[in-house]
Every structure is written in structure tokens, then in C-alpha cells.
Amino acid sequence: MANRTYAEAAYRALADENASELATALLKAAIHYSGHWQTNKEAAELLAAVRARPATFRRSLMDALVEAVRALAEDSPARDNALGIAAAVGRGLTAGDDPIAAERRAKFDEIGRQGTLSYHGWVAELVLAELDAGRPVPPAAVAAVRRTALGTYGYRPFVELAPRLTEPVLNIGEPWADRALADGERWHVLLAHVLTATAAKPTAKWEKTGRALVKEAGEDEVRERLLGWLRLVGAPRTHTLDEDRYGPNPNDTYDGYNANALRGLAWLLSFLPPHPDTARALGALVETSLRKVAGLGPRGPKVANAGVTALSRIDSEAALAELARLATRVTFKGTLKMLDSALEARAVALGLSREEIEELAVPAYGLTGVGRAEYALGGTTALVEVRGAKAALSWRSAAGKAVKSVPAAVRRDHAEELKELKAAVKDIDKMLGAQAERLDRQFLARRTWPYGKWRERYVDHPLVGTLARRLLWAVDGTPVGFADGELRTLAGTPVTEGAEVTLWHPIDREPAEVAAWRDWLERHGITQPFKQAHREVYPLTDAELRTGTYSNRFAAHYLRQHQFHSLAAVRGWRNKLRLAVDDSAPPAVRELPQWGLRAEYWIEGDGGDDHDYNDITDSGSFLRLRTDQVRFYPIGAPENLAHTCGGEYTMWLRGGEAPVDPVPLTEVPALVLSEVLRDVDLFVGVASVGNDPTWQDGGPEGRFHDYWNAYGFGDLSQTAETRRLLLERLVPRLAIADRCRIEGRFLHVRGELRAYRIHLGSGNILMDPGDQYLCIVPAGRTASGTETGYLPFEGDRTLALILSKAMMLADDTGITDPTITRQILSERA
């Protein structure tokens, strides 16, 4: 009714040709139409009637609207409406100066800083006025309109407007797109084509056009251009957007319009002859596209999937290697499913198993021996060596002397070879991590290998051999390790043949044998790529025998949800983020098809003691979880569900299904029970709020004070017990051994200023006298380098952290960090 009143007032002013009153009536009507001049039929009719008036009257109306614009505050919605109405009224008026040019440019600057635009008709009117006047719409504003038109609930004026905005061909603001635009108009036809990559995979028609464009431009030049653009994907934006108050930061996400072009570029690369650089670029695109953005999740899953599609279409060793590497690293379910399908398809085509295709997919990357290769470049020798978890490129002169940096002659005369060597080193680093993770998962895979194939694919493989030679194996049941160029038993007897090989695990070995192999590793200076000889084992406890079907060993913990979620995915668990909504979710689950079992870790969102649900992200997910039981079910059992905000788990029965009881823990194979509980121990050890050194006050409102103290200084978990046993062997060999001793749960360190106790589980520190807490926040990733000396395995960051803290505190007079010295000296005083 109110709208009709304002419309009637506008029509009266229009009939009287009273420009001033009409301007006022239109502004009032705009408020009630919410600025939707094009989507509201009544508003559209009114605006059409105004625009049908003679040019002389519309100029008078423009003058009145200009006065209104300049009289209103810059942040007034009425000012925006006045600009939009003035733009609509002025369309087609070409004579005279533009009286609101400055205000219009300022508004376009504001529009161009938005990730997506609110559904205001005045924006569309401004843009339409520019197009009708033959003026170019600023590129940043074009980008904002295009992004908004792609929204789930596309606003019709923007959807209709976007196809008219043809320049520039890509949205500006992302470095890769800026580079593509700067490379010249000759690429614009190709860019326009890749923008049409909106399907899940290229259609026959799309591929035909793409191949023709590639042929016309030249395959080598297309590869060079596309790889140059893709190397910039994910770099910081060149045109910063305003942050959205409620949604993800648009500066961290892909531009939705350009994302389609990225999909098309990935597909085009698969039309080119295979090349190692292509596989590298596509693998990097997949990983970049799956990086998490707060409030959104993966940055661009559709782009990642396009990268996998492209890799699966390329018939080359490098592409297969990228697929296999990504399959060990990717945790996003949709992309991981595509990777699995691609590898399965390749395995079927070659008549191999999935496991075998993963083994054969690992390239040598130019290594001619296990972990080593030499290249003669002019009078210099380049040496690529795998040293532990990393590859290194070093140089030697013609005389055999080490050279610290790349020789000038190599840079000048062998630039391409140098580039490839550096790329190979990076490839090796990535693949080493992926293969270590794959090998760590083999304990539950029940794999056995024929001796000959195992030697070829593992111990003697140029890259995998650097990992396999640091692990223990069983050849026809006899445990062996690699030392002095041979596989050897504990007694040192060489083993050169056999029938069947398995990966050695301590769960089914006598304690004396386990201890002997630990001594053997130390004696030969072998650092294992992950815990094997020192691997924690988890036999059933008396409490678990009493409960029968579930373990409470890792219940009643508070975990950082997103850290737990990521870690669970890496370890092969399936989990659903808990949101503070009325919804249900299954527990965290690990499927064990080789054993016919499904492991479950029961968790729930933590909304606080009074369930006020303050501890959630802007997107509604809980910051923390509470943990409960670990259970096992037959793999085909119906799913258990519980409310995401907490409550009892119940089995969801469909179609007359009968409930299925959990498997008694005594019937779960010891290896399966141990490995599953080890995973859960890892989740708690990494994600617990108890290991956050800044939470000594108990976190939000002090709610976690008791838990933090109990976890940070309480009884040791199995992982921490393993750490304690190892430290008992390592500490006497340290340079600070005379200042250290291990008692119970703590490593005691005597400094010059204070005495300290480092908890062997959390790494938290108490100072004597008085049990005063010392907060030391690690600056970054702690490495197990030369300071801490030899470590028998990689991957225990807490162990390296404890040793580095001990080194620092033993020399506490040399500490220069004021945040640490202030605590030591003030508390001491």
C-alpha cells in the first residue's frame, strides 16, 4: 500500500512536470522498492514512464537528483538510490556535461572493492548507464558484477547484465589472470574458450575447439604460456577486496568467474604432448585449489577436480606419479574419489592391482642409484642426493672439490639442465613425503610381496629405496634390516633371497627382539622415516576387558576440531565437521576392508557447559570437540548417528535392518586394535587443547583449567611413554647430559638461573621452586637437526621440541627472548 502511495505521488509530479517533487517522490519510492527498479513490476513501470518523458524534462529531473546526491551523506542508502535513479533517467541523454561524473567514479571504485554485490538495482542502473553512454565500465566493477551473477541465487539484473560485459576477457585482480591479459590480445580467443569450461569434464565439442586453438597457437608456445600463468595461481591478489563481515575473506578465495577459466586451462594442458612440467603444474594446481579457506573450506574443489581429470588423460610416467602422490596427500572426499577412480582405471588398463600401480607410479626422477645421481655439466659435476627426508643438490669442481654455489659456467651454458635439476629436487622432496605416508599405512594393508618384485620396487628403487632401506622387513618370517650394502639379520648375516616379504611390526614380536632392533638402528645410525622399531603398541587393558566392546582410553578429551578433522583425513579416517545446527553425524570412521572391520571414534561438538554455543566459527562449526569411546563394528553394519551438538549414538536402521552389535575387543586382531588406538592417541596428542602452551589460564572463561593441567602435567600416554624410554637412551649422549635427568613424567633440566621440569607428554614446563609455569611458544616447525643429535625416527615433533627446550634452558643465561627471560627472572625474584 505504501509503495502505491509513493508511486501515485511520483505520477502526479510527473503529470505536473514538477522535477523537484518527482525527485523526492522517486527517492521515497526507492526505499520501499528496496532499489529493485528492474525486478519489481510496479517500479519498472514507473521508471519507464519517467524515461519516456522529453529530454528537457529529464535534464531538469537530473539536476534535482544531482542536488539530492550532493546533499546526502556518502554512506547514506538514499544517496545510492539517487545515483541509480539519476543513471536511469539520464540514459540516452548525450548533450552536455555529466554532472555526477566524480560521484559515479567514486561509486564504481566502491563497487570494484566488493567480492560480490548486494542485490541493489541501483548498481545495475549505474552499469547500464555506462554501457548506453559508450563509456567503459571499470574492470574491477565488471569483475564484481560477474562474480555476483554466478551466485547461487543470481539476481536477475546482474545475470542479464553480465553477458554484456565482455571486456576484459578475464576478471582482473588475480596475478595469473593479470599476466594472461598482459600477454596480449592474441590469447583472448583461447581465454574466452576456457571460460566456457563449466561442465565436470570437457565435452567432445569443447575439446574439438580447444585442440584447434592449441594447434593454431602452437603446442610449445601454448604450454609455455599456460604453465607461466598457472605458476601464479594462489599468489596474493593484486586488487584487494573488502572483507566480508560474515563470509570467507574474498582475498583468500578464487575469483568465481576466473575459476572456470582455470578448469579450462587444465583441460587444454591434457591435449598437449606429455611433458614433466605439465604434470608438476597440474599437481600444484590441485593442491593449491584444495587449500582451506576459513569459513569456506577448500578454495576451489572444481578446479582441483579439473586438474585430476587432466592428469588422468595424460599418458605419461610423470602424470601417473602425480596421481599417485596426490592420492596420499589429498583429503577432500570428492577429489580423493576422483584420484582413486583414475588410479583404479589405470590399474585395470594395465592388468595390475591398485597397490601395484601405486608402486610402479613412483619415478626415479633421474636418480641412477638409490638416492643418488651425478651429472657432468661442462667441467663441473652436479650431485643429487637424498639425505633423510630431503633431497639436496651440490656441486664439485673438475678436481673433485666441493663448490658452495652453482658455478657461473653452469648458469650460463646449462640453464635448462640446471632448471630441470632444481625441479627434480623439489619433485623428490614431495614424493618422499608421500611415499613415507603410503608406507606407514601398509601395516593395516596386510600386504605381502614376492621377494623379487619387492627388491625391485622397494629396496633397490632409486627413490623408494631411500625409505625402504631405513625400515625393517621380514623375509620368509626372518626379520631383516639394510646395513653395509646388504639386507642383514640381527646377527649380521646377509639375506640375498627369499619367497615372501612383509613389513615388520613390533606388536607380534618379543620385547627382547624389539629392544635388539632398536639397538641395531642406533648402532648403524639409521633414522627411520616414521616410527617402526619404536612404534607404540596398545594391548588390551584390564579396563577394556571389563567394558568388553569399547575403549574409554581416549575419552573425555577436548580437541581442536579443525586440526583433528585434517589429521584424521591424513590418517585415512572419514569425519564430518560438527556444526551448531539441528543435524546428525556419524562418528569419525576408519574403514578396514582387509579385516572386515570398521573402527569408530565417538565425538561431539563442545558448546560449553551451559550449551550457549559461543565457541563456534562464523560459519557455524564448533571450535572444539569432546571425545568418547572407540568401537569396532563389522564393515557392513548400519551407521551410528548422534546429534552434532551432543547426545547418544544410535544405529540408523533402514528397510527392516536389524541392529548389529559391536565387535568384542578380544576378537579384534591385536595389530588392528593397536594401530587404530595409535591413530586416536595421535589425534589427542596433536589436537588436544591441553598441549597449547598459552592456555595456562584455562582458555575461554577458564573452563578448561582442570583439563589443561591434567593433560599438560598428568600421566603419560603410550606415545609419551615411548618418548620417555627413548630419552633415557638419548639424554646421556647430549652435551648437556650432566644438567639433565629423567624422573617419572618429566625431563629435569638444571640451568644457571632456575631448575626446570619438561613434561614428556605435552612439552609444557614447570620451574622450580614453586611449580611456576613457563610459557614458551614454538616459533615454527622444530626440526630434529644437529642440535639435538641423532634421533632414531622422524616425525615426532614433540620429542624434538622437548630436546630443543632442554638445550635452551640448560643455558638459560644465554636466552635473549624477553618474553621468556621476563618469566624466569620475575618469578625467581
Side-chain angles (χ1 to χ4, degrees), residues 168-179:
V169 64
L170 295 174
N171 280 357
I172 67 162
E174 291 182 312
W176 80 265
D178 294 346
R179 172 70 62 81

Side-chain angles (χ1 to χ4, degrees), residues 414-495:
H414 301 278
E416 283 301 314
E417 293 96 325
L418 176 61
K419 176 184 174 183
E420 186 58 34
L421 282 175
K422 289 181 176 180
V425 167
K426 292 181 180 179
D427 289 342
I428 291 170
D429 284 349
K430 290 180 181 179
M431 187 58 84
L432 281 170
Q435 291 303 308
E437 290 176 9
R438 183 177 70 85
L439 283 165
D440 196 10
R441 295 179 187 176
Q442 296 305 307
F443 292 111
L444 285 175
R446 306 189 82 170
R447 288 292 309 282
T448 61
W449 296 269
Y451 180 83
K453 288 186 177 180
W454 171 76
R455 290 264 348 188
E456 175 188 351
R457 298 175 186 176
Y458 285 86
V459 173
D460 295 333
H461 187 279
L463 185 141
V464 182
T466 66
L467 302 169
R469 292 185 178 193
R470 293 189 282 143
L471 294 173
L472 303 178
W473 304 85
V475 177
D476 296 335
T478 300
V480 296
F482 194 91
D484 302 323
E486 296 279 3
L487 287 170
R488 298 181 184 276
T489 65
L490 264 175
T493 304
V495 176

Side-chain angles (χ1 to χ4, degrees), residues 386-601:
V386 176
R387 301 170 184 171
K390 294 287 185 182
L393 175 61
S394 58
W395 302 88
R396 290 182 180 174
S397 67
K401 293 184 178 180
V403 179
K404 290 185 177 181
S405 59
V406 183
V410 172
R411 294 182 186 275
R412 183 185 65 245
D413 302 330
H414 301 278
E416 283 301 314
E417 293 96 325
L418 176 61
K419 176 184 174 183
E420 186 58 34
L421 282 175
K422 289 181 176 180
V425 167
K426 292 181 180 179
D427 289 342
I428 291 170
D429 284 349
K430 290 180 181 179
M431 187 58 84
L432 281 170
Q435 291 303 308
E437 290 176 9
R438 183 177 70 85
L439 283 165
D440 196 10
R441 295 179 187 176
Q442 296 305 307
F443 292 111
L444 285 175
R446 306 189 82 170
R447 288 292 309 282
T448 61
W449 296 269
Y451 180 83
K453 288 186 177 180
W454 171 76
R455 290 264 348 188
E456 175 188 351
R457 298 175 186 176
Y458 285 86
V459 173
D460 295 333
H461 187 279
L463 185 141
V464 182
T466 66
L467 302 169
R469 292 185 178 193
R470 293 189 282 143
L471 294 173
L472 303 178
W473 304 85
V475 177
D476 296 335
T478 300
V480 296
F482 194 91
D484 302 323
E486 296 279 3
L487 287 170
R488 298 181 184 276
T489 65
L490 264 175
T493 304
V495 176
T496 58
E497 59 184 5
E500 185 178 86
V501 180
T502 57
L503 191 58
W504 183 93
H505 193 287
I507 189 68
D508 54 358
R509 302 292 173 173
E510 292 295 329
E513 179 188 331
V514 175
W517 277 113
R518 291 177 179 178
D519 288 339
W520 185 90
L521 290 171
E522 292 181 31
R523 190 165 65 251
H524 289 90
I526 296 172
T527 297
Q528 297 198 293
F530 48 81
K531 289 183 183 178
Q532 186 189 24
H534 293 80
R535 202 173 188 84
E536 300 82 9
V537 294
Y538 298 79
L540 281 172
T541 63
D542 291 341
E544 288 161 345
L545 290 171
R546 288 193 297 271
T547 57
T549 58
Y550 62 89
S551 169
N552 269 331
R553 202 183 306 199
F554 299 103
H557 287 280
Y558 295 90
L559 310 185
R560 294 177 287 268
Q561 173 169 213
H562 292 82
Q563 191 170 17
F564 163 77
H565 184 70
S566 297
L567 187 59
V570 168
R571 295 297 301 170
W573 290 67
R574 174 169 45 86
N575 181 56
K576 181 178 180 180
L577 281 173
R578 267 51 178 177
L579 304 178
V581 295
D582 187 14
D583 192 13
S584 296
V589 168
R590 182 167 183 183
E591 305 280 356
L592 302 165
Q594 296 90 343
W595 305 87
L597 293 171
R598 179 181 80 215
E600 297 185 352
Y601 190 24

Side-chain angles (χ1 to χ4, degrees), residues 540-555 599-602 627-633 640 661-668 673 676-677:
L540 281 172
T541 63
D542 291 341
E544 288 161 345
L545 290 171
R546 288 193 297 271
T547 57
T549 58
Y550 62 89
S551 169
N552 269 331
R553 202 183 306 199
F554 299 103
E600 297 185 352
Y601 190 24
W602 288 10
T627 69
D628 202 345
Q629 304 172 6
V630 174
R631 292 190 176 208
F632 293 84
Y633 287 86
N640 286 308
D661 293 330
V663 177
L665 296 181
T666 53
E667 296 179 16
V668 177
L673 178 70
V676 166
L677 291 180

